[in-house]
Amino acid sequence: MALLIGLAGGFAGGLLGIGGGAIYVPALVIILGQGQHTAQGISLVAIVPTAIVGTLTHLRNKNVDVPAVIQVVPGAIVAAIVAGFIANKLDASVLQRIFAVVMTYVALNTIWSALRRESPAREGTD
């Protein structure tokens, strides 16, 4: 079952660029019975190799704006450190609720954005 979760998360990460966390965390909690904190930790570790492979693939296909990456990464690192400390202090049920709210918001926003698009053409193509 864990292998299937890994395959699903890796596929979602590679195809959709979501890092797999939206698959890993709920699956680890619901299917494998992991605690919320542990599931998030496992998800972050599992995302590292997926992100490396995805990054190399997108770099090779020229889908990465390197100057934008250089601007985004420092803030992302600082925020991840701070958020990790905060997450560790929160009760698992609170953390799970926050995760659910964020995933719901992202899902609804993605659906809304996809429905508003007039053309399903790939961005950046000429």
Side-chain angles (χ1 to χ4, degrees):
M1 190 52 70
L3 178 61
L4 290 175
I5 292 169
L7 287 169
F11 187 78
L15 181 67
L16 305 173
I18 61 171
I23 303 294
Y24 293 136
V25 174
L28 289 165
V29 170
I30 295 166
I31 298 170
L32 296 184
Q34 295 289 333
Q36 185 72 22
H37 290 90
T38 303
Q40 288 183 205
I42 292 169
S43 174
L44 289 169
V45 172
I47 288 168
V48 171
T50 305
I52 290 169
V53 171
T55 297
L56 294 174
T57 301
H58 283 287
L59 280 169
R60 191 175 23 229
N61 292 322
K62 297 181 175 38
N63 292 330
V64 178
D65 181 348
V66 176
V69 170
I70 292 168
Q71 292 176 336
V72 169
V73 167
I77 291 171
V78 171
I81 292 168
V82 171
F85 282 118
I86 293 170
N88 196 47
K89 302 288 185 198
L90 294 174
D91 183 68
S93 64
V94 172
L95 190 57
Q96 194 168 30
R97 286 185 188 109
I98 292 169
F99 183 85
V101 167
V102 170
M103 288 292 95
T104 301
Y105 170 78
V106 169
L108 292 173
N109 193 35
T110 302
I111 291 167
W112 177 253
S113 179
L115 292 175
R116 288 188 311 165
R117 290 194 181 204
E118 291 181 24
S119 170
R122 183 172 174 251
E123 291 180 21
T125 57
D126 294 77

